[in-house]
Amino acid sequence: MTTAAPVHREVRTLELAVSGMTCAACSARVERTLNRMDGVRASVNYATERATVQVPAGLADEAVFERVRKAGYGARRRGAGDEDLTTARVRDLRRRLIVAAVLAVPLGDLSITLALVPSLRFPGWQLLGLALAVPVVGWAALPFHRAALRNLRHRSSSMDTLVSLGVLASFAWSAWAALAGGPEPGYWVGFGPTAPGADAVYLDVAAGVTTFLLAGRYFESRSRRGAAGLLAALDALAAKEVRVLRDGAERMLPVGELAVGDRFVVKPGEAVAADGVVETGQSTVDVSAVTGEPVPAEAVPGRRLIGASVNLEGCLVVRATAVGAHTQLAQMTALAERAQARKASVQRLVDRICAVFVPVVLALSALTLAGRLLTGHPLRDAFTAAVSVLIIACPCALGLATPTALMAGVGRGAQLGILIKGPDALEASRRVDTVVLDKTGTVTTGRMSVTGCHPVATRTAGEVLWFAGAVEAGSEHPIAAAVLAAARAEVAELPEVTAFRALPGLGAQGTVAGHEVLAGSARLFGEQGIALPAEAAARVEAARAGGAVPVLVAVDREVAGVVVVRDGVKPSARAAVTALRELGLRTVLLTGDHEVAARAVGAEIGVDEVRAGVLPAEKALAIAAMRAAGARVAMVGDGVNDGPALATADLGMAMAHGSDIALRSADLVLVREDLRVVPDAIRLATGTLRIIRGNLAWAFGYNVAALPLAALGLLNPLIAGAAMSLSSVLVVSNSLRLRSFGRGGPDSNGSGD
């Protein structure tokens, strides 16, 4: 018997804007509906009102839209108009809130005054109360009723079901009591005489609860828009027009017409239109809005610029290397948006709870009404308790606890040059106790430079560089390039080299101004039979001990001096390691370099441990061994050979200037050149997690404590409505504290912005 091989279908990603969701139960329902479709995998985020759907290649978009609509919600492809629709919804909520508040205040005053002073009651006062309440219950509360009716048609429920039932029950009871009830109805607040039977008017409850809930939803919507607006602000940094040099003339064009390889002009005060390399001009650029680095960066020929950074001084001509969706800014925004759309594991648990929460509350409200009647409580008291249960239990805060914090944290991280790929990265950061740093290109600059020139005998440093630079001009080795750059900076003009010969792995030789010049390693000099003077030998040993590369220079077979070349340590490296250790994290330097060079760098930056001589293929094995020993490892790297190690670590952190493989393998992408972004990223991740845990503790605790109080009749509906709205607003406001990270906000070190 043979088993058929599984069929692998191609899938594509469809991003939806979902309208009509009012709580986490709604998002859970939309998600279940989509996941029932054959081959579809969906994740729906209530806070961002987005759905990320993996769709089989043969399934039409309209089929997905229609399935969401059949569930009672609106769906369309995400687009540029999403922000306008959000603004319009917030504006509509504000109008309804104003009407509800304007009518609820006199209605409440009327109710309390007539309850306190029955002698002031006048004929028809109940009808006046009804007249004031009808616009509130009928129009201001319409979004709750409309959503509840939609849920009813689809045999489902949400928080709107609870709110609508509570408001309509209060109003219907009041209308019955006012029009056909006892002679002088009393009030739930306990003032004034009451009559048996239908003896309570709840118009102030219906209007007050509607006002409180509208206020909560309005401020919640504004806050959610503010959290999402962090990315909109980042995206808005991009230039809209660009001065392109074509056919020798400067032309102003829409930035969408800029192509890779085009040369464009950036004048003082203008934003750089795309990623590129400076060809001519010299200036400084403000990169703080893109990377969070407060110090302007130098812009000189050959320097790479990030699109959306702002030119501060001189005029620059830049050659575009990435445009449109391929620019660093566009990729940062897209990456952060995808991270916001994904869910933390704790959020998936909350969604499952919310999906069954509303039916449970409806049953609890009915049991409260029946239980209190069976235990001999007046109908008024039983009704009050049942309505309080309906209103207090709305799971808004639970649904908002995780996604709003994630939105704020990811958005703020993007502004600071810290790209969080998803909530799994945040969750991994909580467990990290060891940070492994790659050396070349991460701790060091990745660029060789001359750090010293030591002449021997009668030679001068200028002469040594003059000869060395001339002979190295014919070589393409990074060490040769460093020597050549130093020589050109020191000497006005270098002579031509003839009879040049590259000696792979050893150095180079040639004839300069009639002199035979040899530049290279001590091994080369040994093979050539050139003896090293004691002074030169000491310089060579000192350079090696410091982790540098000594380049010996001989003129006419006589040692002229030693040029010391080194891949310089980044100025921020030591401060970054110190900050990591202050966070209680162990630091390890992992490199393929020889032991002496690695230990010199390790001692300079102050790491706890140095592991040298680790081949590229062995880096992932080294990370795996640390994890097997019980360590929770974060790996920071940038090269092609760091990709497997980044993927193996619990938390992979890639420098944005690194290889595509490293960036794809990482959980966090660090845009800033300053290595202090590493502890900043861990602080932001742990701070975001702390906010999420605080939100969930409040939301769960609130519902667990409030429901029994309401069921026992210890909370009246007005206080329940106010408490429910306040709970949601507090959760969102707590999440928005992350917007101040880096400015003295939560878990901030005060740097980075």
Side-chain angles (χ1 to χ4, degrees):
M1 178 178 174
T2 60
T3 303
V7 178
H8 299 284
R9 291 186 289 181
E10 292 186 6
V11 297
R12 56 192 175 84
T13 300
L14 180 62
E15 297 283 345
L16 303 184
V18 182
S19 58
M21 295 191 299
T22 55
C23 67
C26 296
S27 63
R29 185 175 307 114
V30 175
E31 192 169 288
R32 286 197 308 273
T33 299
L34 289 173
N35 284 329
R36 290 192 189 107
M37 299 178 72
D38 185 34
V40 171
R41 289 293 175 267
S43 175
V44 182
N45 192 312
Y46 162 52
T48 60
E49 297 181 314
R50 297 174 185 171
T52 302
V53 190
Q54 300 296 321
V55 181
L59 185 64
D61 293 356
E62 187 56 37
V64 178
F65 300 157
E66 186 59 28
R67 184 62 65 97
V68 176
R69 293 182 192 122
K70 284 183 178 179
Y73 302 90
R76 55 185 175 75
R77 185 183 289 274
R78 283 190 55 212
D82 293 348
E83 181 67 23
D84 293 337
L85 290 174
T86 301
T87 302
R89 185 164 60 252
V90 171
R91 192 179 297 120
D92 178 68
L93 283 171
R94 184 174 64 229
R95 284 196 298 265
R96 295 180 188 274
L97 173 59
I98 291 172
V99 170
V102 166
L103 295 176
V105 169
L107 181 57
D109 291 342
L110 176 70
S111 302
I112 294 175
T113 300
L114 296 183
L116 284 170
V117 189
S119 61
L120 294 179
R121 297 175 186 174
F122 52 87
W125 65 270
Q126 302 98 322
L127 297 178
L128 176 60
L130 285 172
L132 290 172
V134 165
V136 179
V137 174
W139 182 79
L142 187 59
F144 303 115
H145 306 321
R146 188 185 292 135
L149 183 60
R150 179 183 61 218
N151 292 329
L152 182 62
R153 285 200 303 266
H154 293 86
R155 289 174 294 188
S156 62
S157 57
S158 70
M159 72 153 275
D160 293 287
T161 307
L162 305 179
V163 173
S164 181
L165 276 176
V167 170
L168 290 178
S170 299
F171 180 78
W173 178 284
S174 302
W176 176 43
L179 300 176
E184 287 293 342
Y187 286 84
W188 64 267
V189 290
F191 298 119
T194 59
D199 59 355
V201 175
Y202 291 94
L203 294 176
D204 49 350
V205 171
V209 165
T210 299
T211 304
F212 285 135
L213 297 186
L214 282 173
R217 186 166 291 186
Y218 168 67
F219 289 114
E220 171 197 315
S221 298
R222 281 189 56 184
S223 299
R224 284 162 53 190
R225 185 179 64 178
L230 291 168
L231 292 184
L234 192 71
D235 199 32
L237 296 172
K240 304 300 183 289
E241 293 184 315
V242 57
R243 304 173 189 272
V244 182
L245 291 174
R246 288 183 181 170
D247 302 324
E250 185 180 307
R251 300 172 57 190
M252 185 69 77
L253 297 174
V255 74
E257 297 184 20
L258 185 68
V260 172
D262 279 347
R263 298 166 67 242
F264 61 93
V265 177
V266 187
K267 295 187 175 181
E270 293 182 343
V272 179
D275 295 354
V277 176
V278 178
E279 287 202 340
T280 61
Q282 186 169 348
S283 181
T284 55
V285 292
D286 181 1
V287 296
S288 60
V290 183
T291 70
E293 293 179 85
V295 179
E298 185 180 5
V300 295
R303 181 62 59 89
R304 181 175 64 95
L305 295 183
I306 301 173
S309 51
V310 178
N311 183 20
L312 298 178
E313 298 172 350
C315 185
L316 300 172
V317 175
V318 182
R319 177 173 49 82
T321 57
V323 299
H326 301 287
T327 64
Q328 185 165 297
L329 178 69
Q331 291 182 4
M332 284 167 60
T333 306
L335 188 62
E337 284 184 340
R338 287 196 295 271
Q340 287 188 349
R342 291 163 64 185
K343 292 185 180 182
S345 57
V346 68
Q347 179 61 29
R348 290 190 288 270
L349 173 62
V350 169
D351 287 349
R352 289 196 294 271
I353 292 172
C354 289
V356 299
F357 193 82
V358 175
V360 168
V361 170
L362 289 172
L364 181 59
S365 178
L367 288 173
T368 299
L369 179 63
R372 292 186 70 79
L373 288 175
L374 290 174
T375 54
H377 288 81
L379 179 58
R380 177 189 62 187
D381 294 345
F383 177 80
T384 300
V387 170
S388 295
V389 168
L390 287 176
I391 294 171
I392 197 71
C394 295
C396 301
L398 275 177
L400 293 168
T402 299
T404 52
L406 187 62
M407 286 167 64
V410 169
R412 182 58 181 159
Q415 288 184 324
L416 296 176
I418 303 166
L419 303 187
I420 304 170
K421 286 190 175 181
D424 43 357
L426 298 176
E427 291 164 343
S429 71
R430 177 179 57 188
R431 302 186 298 270
V432 165
D433 55 31
T434 303
V435 177
V436 176
L437 301 164
D438 171 56
K439 185 176 81 69
T440 305
T442 302
V443 169
T444 64
T445 62
R447 298 182 297 274
M448 304 299 286
S449 61
V450 172
T451 58
C453 180
H454 307 285
V456 174
T458 60
R459 296 289 183 181
T460 66
E463 287 177 323
V464 174
L465 285 174
W466 190 77
F467 282 115
V471 76
E472 295 286 25
S475 176
E476 295 182 353
H477 194 278
I479 293 177
V483 173
L484 177 60
R488 284 175 172 167
E490 179 73 19
V491 183
E493 188 174 345
L494 294 175
E496 293 289 332
V497 60
T498 58
F500 172 79
R501 181 186 172 199
L503 305 171
L506 297 173
Q509 67 180 28
T511 302
V512 178
H515 298 278
E516 180 188 350
V517 179
L518 190 69
S521 65
R523 176 185 167 191
L524 171 64
F525 276 52
E527 290 180 359
Q528 293 285 332
I530 301 175
L532 300 185
E535 182 183 356
R539 293 289 186 185
V540 168
E541 290 304 315
R544 288 174 174 169
V549 178
V551 178
L552 286 160
V553 181
V555 179
D556 295 329
R557 300 187 63 79
E558 181 180 340
V559 176
V562 180
V563 179
V564 179
V565 180
R566 186 177 185 184
D567 179 8
V569 173
K570 291 179 179 177
S572 59
R574 186 171 185 85
V577 170
T578 300
L580 289 170
R581 296 180 73 176
E582 287 174 352
L583 291 173
L585 303 174
R586 178 169 163 266
T587 53
V588 179
L589 184 67
L590 187 68
T591 178
D593 272 2
H594 58 80
E595 187 82 16
V596 173
R599 291 206 172 277
V601 173
E604 184 174 346
I605 64 176
V607 294
D608 297 305
E609 181 183 350
V610 175
R611 297 195 180 189
V614 181
L615 298 176
E618 297 173 347
K619 286 187 176 182
L621 295 176
I623 297 294
M626 292 183 200
R627 295 184 64 197
R632 298 292 186 178
V633 182
M635 168 73 186
V636 186
D638 75 325
V640 172
N641 56 29
D642 295 326
L646 289 168
T648 304
D650 295 280
L651 179 67
M653 306 170 75
M655 309 300 289
H657 63 267
S659 71
D660 288 342
I661 293 176
L663 298 181
R664 285 198 297 268
S665 302
D667 302 301
L668 301 179
V669 178
L670 311 175
V671 178
R672 281 157 49 194
E673 292 287 343
D674 192 324
L675 260 183
R676 286 173 293 188
V677 73
V678 176
D680 280 354
I682 293 177
R683 285 191 187 96
L684 176 61
T686 54
T688 303
L689 271 179
R690 187 172 292 112
I691 293 289
I692 289 174
R693 289 197 297 268
N695 284 349
L696 288 172
W698 165 257
F700 274 114
Y702 159 81
N703 278 285
V704 168
L707 272 174
L709 292 176
L712 293 172
L714 301 177
L715 285 178
N716 61 57
L718 268 181
I719 294 176
M724 192 277 285
S725 297
L726 182 61
S727 176
S728 297
V729 173
L730 283 175
V731 161
V732 176
S733 300
N734 190 43
S735 298
L736 291 182
R737 292 170 56 222
L738 288 165
R739 298 177 70 177
S740 63
F741 179 88
R743 293 193 294 246
D747 300 307
S748 170
N749 63 343
S751 68
D753 191 12

